[in-house]
């Protein structure tokens, strides 16, 4: 069974969980395949033990059997729990709770309320949730999106991209995508994406090779070894900025940090933001340059 067919079959299950029932024609139009192909997919799902059935007539269509328990299928209890936990960690999605409840019924169990992820920033809940909902629908539905992007060098550009994957890295959300303007892969910081909307051009996500995580927001490869001492009152910001393994208590009751950091203006902006709460022990050239900025 090829990868494209497997991806389509999983998406059929997702759609049926989200919409209760769809006709074979609707599914064929959604995936841009023939009705005959959809019927073959449904047969494959049935053979795999997935509780799908079809009904005829004006009210007919393809749906999942109510109350079916998947304990007898290919998923172990640990795998079921992982799926429930994964869905529960995305409550910002409009259909997340719906699908979670249906999966709970199908598995004959419910996931514990152990985690919650909120995409929004403080004070911007609805706006940020809407943006992530558009991105979710575009990625899962394999449709292009259009938005304005605020670049790091200033100014805005209008972009249309094939959205491939959302990534959280280093305290920020990023979208990995294929940019139609540049004709190449690009990584966009979600907070800089303005007026995000689905443009609608279809694409096959499986045919794109997504960028590696280390390509996100590349920084200068030259790093400096920093030895820093911070006053006690700056502790919260220190733990926000540096890896916990690089932080130790200092003799004066503050915090001692030994870390490698990319050299450049961002380094001095970051250190200057601590004001008198930071002392640069080494290197001397960083200490001197920072002193010139104060």
């Amino acid at each position: 069974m090829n990868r494209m067919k497997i991806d389509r079959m999983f998406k059929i299950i997702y759609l049926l969980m989200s919409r209760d029932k769809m006709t074979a024609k609707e599914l064929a139009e959604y995936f841009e395949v023939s009705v005959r192909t959809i019927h073959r997919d449904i047969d494959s799902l049935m053979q795999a033990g997935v509780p799908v059935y079809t009904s005829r007539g004006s009210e007919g269509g393809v749906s999942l059997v109510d109350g079916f328990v998947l304990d007898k299928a290919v998923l172990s209890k640990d795998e079921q729990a992982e799926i429930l936990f994964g869905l529960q960690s995305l409550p910002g999605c409009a259909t997340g709770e719906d699908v979670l409840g249906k999966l709970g019924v199908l598995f004959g169990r419910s996931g514990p309320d152990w985690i919650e992820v909120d995409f929004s920033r403080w004070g911007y809940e609805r706006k940020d949730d809407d943006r992530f909902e558009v991105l979710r629908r575009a990625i899962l539905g394999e449709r292009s999106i259009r938005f304005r992007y605020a670049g790091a060098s200033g100014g805005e550009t209008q972009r249309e991209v094939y959205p491939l994957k959302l990534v959280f890295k280093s305290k920020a959300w990023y979208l990995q995508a294929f940019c139609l303007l540049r004709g190449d892969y690009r990584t966009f910081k979600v907070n800089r994406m303005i007026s995000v909307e689905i443009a609608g051009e279809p694409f096959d996500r499986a045919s794109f090779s997504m960028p590696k995580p280390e390509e996100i927001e590349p920084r200068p490869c030259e790093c400096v070894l920093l030895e820093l001492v911070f006053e006690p009152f700056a502790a919260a910001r220190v733990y926000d900025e540096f890896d916990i393994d690089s932080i130790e208590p200092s003799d004066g009751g503050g915090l001692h940090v030994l870390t490698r950091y990319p050299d450049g203006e961002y380094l001095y902006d970051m250190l200057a933001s601590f004001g008198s709460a930071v002392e640069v022990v080494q290197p001397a050239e960083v200490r001197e340059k920072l002193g010139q900025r104060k």
Side-chain angles (χ1 to χ4, degrees), residues 83-217:
I83 292 174
L84 290 171
F85 289 165
L87 281 172
Q88 191 168 8
S89 71
L90 299 173
C93 297
T95 58
E97 294 181 4
D98 231 13
V99 176
L100 181 63
K102 291 175 183 177
L103 271 177
V105 171
L106 293 174
F107 290 157
R109 63 192 297 179
S110 59
D113 188 15
W114 72 287
I115 187 173
E116 180 174 340
V117 177
D118 187 346
F119 292 132
S120 65
R121 292 165 291 173
W122 296 107
Y124 294 89
E125 181 176 356
R126 186 69 263 147
K127 184 177 179 180
D128 280 0
D129 277 355
D130 287 346
R131 180 162 45 187
F132 277 95
E133 170 61 13
V134 171
L135 293 174
R136 181 190 68 84
R137 287 192 287 112
I139 293 171
L140 294 177
E142 298 183 339
R143 293 294 186 272
S144 67
I145 60 171
R146 188 181 297 117
F147 57 91
R148 303 197 319 275
Y149 190 66
S153 58
E156 294 180 2
T157 56
Q158 184 73 32
R159 302 294 184 103
E160 184 170 343
V161 307
Y162 296 144
L164 302 175
K165 190 176 184 179
L166 277 169
V167 177
F168 185 83
K169 186 174 177 66
S170 186
K171 298 180 285 188
W173 282 100
Y174 298 86
L175 174 72
Q176 295 177 317
F178 184 85
C179 180
L180 299 180
L181 176 66
R182 307 301 185 197
D184 201 356
Y185 296 100
R186 289 291 187 270
T187 298
F188 301 96
K189 200 167 187 177
V190 173
N191 283 348
R192 298 179 188 168
M193 296 170 62
I194 306 164
S195 301
V196 182
E197 61 181 7
I198 295 179
E201 182 178 339
F203 68 97
D204 179 14
R205 187 165 170 259
S207 66
F208 290 87
S209 178
M210 288 178 284
K212 297 178 181 179
E214 55 265 30
E215 294 174 4
I216 295 175
E217 287 286 287

Side-chain angles (χ1 to χ4, degrees), residues 24 41 45 75 77 85 88-89 123 186 213 224 237 246 268 274:
D41 289 342
L45 287 169
L75 295 176
K77 288 186 177 181
F85 289 165
Q88 191 168 8
S89 71
R186 289 291 187 270
V224 294
R237 279 208 56 209
S246 69
Y268 296 97
F274 281 93

Side-chain angles (χ1 to χ4, degrees), residues 17-35:
M17 286 180 171
S18 303
R19 307 184 188 182
D20 291 327
K21 181 186 295 183
M22 294 181 71
T23 66
K25 182 180 179 182
E26 288 172 336
L27 288 168
E29 290 175 352
Y30 183 90
F31 292 107
E32 298 183 340
V33 296
S34 67
V35 172

